[in-house]
Amino acid sequence: MTLKVPENQTIVIFGATGDLTGRKLLPALYNLFVQSLLPQDFAVVGYSRTEMTSDEFREHQAANVAKYSRTGLDPEAWERFARHLDYLAGGFEPEGAMHHLAQHLEEVDAAIHGRGRRMFYCAVPPSLFPKIATRLGEEGLNQGGRIVMEKPFGFDLASAKELNRQLHEVFDENQIYRIDHYLGKETVQNILVFRFGNSIFEPIWNRNHVDCVEITAAESIGIEGRGAFYEATGVVRDIIQNHLLQVMSLVTMEVPASFSADDIRDEKSQVLRSVRSLDLNDVANHCVRGQYRGYRDEEGVAPDSQTPTYAAMRFMIDSWRWQGVPFFLRSGKSMAAGRQVVTLGFREPPLRMFRAHKQDIPAGRVNEIVIDFADPGSISTQFLAKEPGAEMILGAASMQFRYQDSFCTANSLEGYERLILDAMLGDQTLFTRADGVERLWEISAPLLENPPPVEPYAPGSWGPEPSLGRLVAPFHWHLSST
Ligand SMILES: NC(=O)c1ccc[n+]([C@@H]2O[C@H](COP(=O)([O-])OP(=O)(O)OC[C@H]3O[C@@H](n4cnc5c(N)ncnc54)[C@H](OP(=O)(O)O)[C@@H]3O)[C@@H](O)[C@H]2O)c1
């Protein structure tokens, strides 16, 4: 995972006028450029239906970069970067619709000595992914090219399988990059380093020591005007099926044979295969769904909507390492706080030497490792210590690692920067393989096919608390109001 500079190439962005391109992709490319992580020569070609000139495209994107880039916009750097940008208007229908793009790319490739190295980034509605692949194949642009697919990859297991089939008609699996931007986070990648780069944590990372694991991605904001999108998606498809199950696979996978893309993806797939399937008729005992009060009044939301803005679920993993340890995954909007946290709760010591002082031990679990994977991220451990003084009184103590205390964080890459750079380098480690994405849908299928009804919860709370308490018992949530 050391930083290398990719070879000269062209990046084609389908959906160049869209929200994702403006808020994430162009700022990420600009920041890679500023950090000298882009090749000596490269071209970024924007493509969508809206008619505009390349100058207008550059102007439009300068405003986006100024607004959304984490380093802001330096006019001199932008001026140098913008020379690499141009724009072509066009669609994906009918057959031959991308012929002018193919011709344009020939010229661009010759100018930058790209030797046909091209990356096609699909930042368009997912229904267009197969059409794009077909058109690229017709023009021969699949030869030596890479295709980056945004989420969601499919809508359920059947559609994900069908999309994989359609893509494989044109591209080999090693040309396909399915993005999950959570995996681009420094803090998520650090889970592997924390586990496998140290000898003090891995020996206790199993059922003998861990009694439960909680993975939370909570947002304090609501749906922010994206009613139509959210109604069609819901929290399970938006966050749990992809991001949280991915994080769970990193927390639970076995040690890979090497840090190569396939060895890591093999181990992730292996542990996902061990996730116990939920019985379609028993989903309600493993899942709580909620909807914040006021959601149905948002624009684009049905007055009787059953779309969950919150879900919590319990998974079991039938593996030697994790047998019997419950994994609680939850995500929600309009929550009490915006937090992204993995908590490993450890078993009680076999003998309480300090029983006489139990009333002084804080309520809840005594030993925890808490990985906060919201940027900039931290890892802390909770344990008991003797409070200073004449009496043997125990108090809760913690040790904490924070990125900014140990490292210069100026060089850290934002998720999309990391993933775009890796795709340009041809490194698939952080991208999801076909079998992985299908397994993620398979695990989630019962939650989508036979879900329990949504329960209302107060905005600014931790969700529908009584049901959550029952789901998690005899444990309790690390983050909650109780
Ligand atoms: N926005 C985010 O934060 C975000 C986060 C994660 C994933 N994603 C995913 O990223 C993709 C794009 O999302 P978005 O929010 O950027 O959507 P968007 O704002 O609606 O943009 C869609 C883009 O696709 C182009 N487009 C639409 N229909 C087209 C067609 N028939 N032919 C050619 N171009 C077409 C549009 O431009 P024209 O109308 O000019 O053609 C526009 O540039 C989606 O798959 C979404 O799920 C987005």
Side-chain angles (χ1 to χ4, degrees), residues 15-20 23 48-50 92 123-126 128 150-152:
T17 54
D19 176 71
L20 183 74
R23 275 194 315 113
S48 35
R49 291 167 306 179
T50 305
F92 310 120
V124 294
L128 297 171
E150 256 304 332
K151 77 159 207 183

Side-chain angles (χ1 to χ4, degrees), residues 83-225:
R83 281 182 219 146
H84 299 265
L85 302 186
D86 69 359
Y87 180 82
L88 213 60
F92 310 120
E93 291 277 22
E95 195 179 333
M98 290 199 331
H99 191 59
H100 66 312
L101 175 65
Q103 286 175 327
H104 182 69
L105 293 181
E106 286 275 303
E107 291 164 24
V108 170
D109 189 58
I112 65 164
H113 307 291
R115 298 187 174 183
R117 280 183 291 266
R118 296 182 184 114
M119 184 174 111
F120 300 99
Y121 199 116
C122 299
V124 294
S127 56
L128 297 171
F129 294 170
K131 197 61 72 188
I132 292 177
T134 306
R135 292 286 99 86
L136 290 172
E138 281 165 8
E139 299 295 340
L141 291 169
N142 53 339
Q143 314 271 320
R146 301 184 191 124
I147 188 161
V148 182
M149 320 299 295
E150 256 304 332
K151 77 159 207 183
F153 191 91
F155 193 70
D156 54 17
L157 177 59
S159 57
K161 278 187 168 170
E162 176 58 14
L163 183 51
N164 275 331
R165 191 193 63 71
Q166 290 167 325
L167 287 175
H168 289 150
E169 280 181 358
V170 184
F171 289 97
D172 291 336
E173 181 58 30
N174 64 13
Q175 296 176 283
I176 304 172
Y177 292 71
R178 299 174 192 79
I179 276 220
D180 184 324
H181 65 260
Y182 257 49
L183 299 184
K185 284 170 171 282
E186 299 274 13
T187 50
V188 171
Q189 293 163 53
N190 192 43
I191 293 173
L192 293 185
V193 178
F194 185 68
R195 291 187 56 194
F196 303 134
N198 300 294
S199 59
I200 54 177
F201 304 115
E202 195 54 24
I204 56 169
W205 210 268
N206 56 54
R207 65 186 301 274
N208 297 326
H209 299 275
V210 176
D211 71 357
C212 78
V213 178
E214 179 185 320
I215 304 177
T216 293
E219 289 180 276
S220 55
I221 54 172
I223 56 166
E224 307 257 279

Side-chain angles (χ1 to χ4, degrees), residues 453-465:
V454 291
E455 300 175 40
Y457 63 93
S461 72
W462 282 108
E465 300 261 6

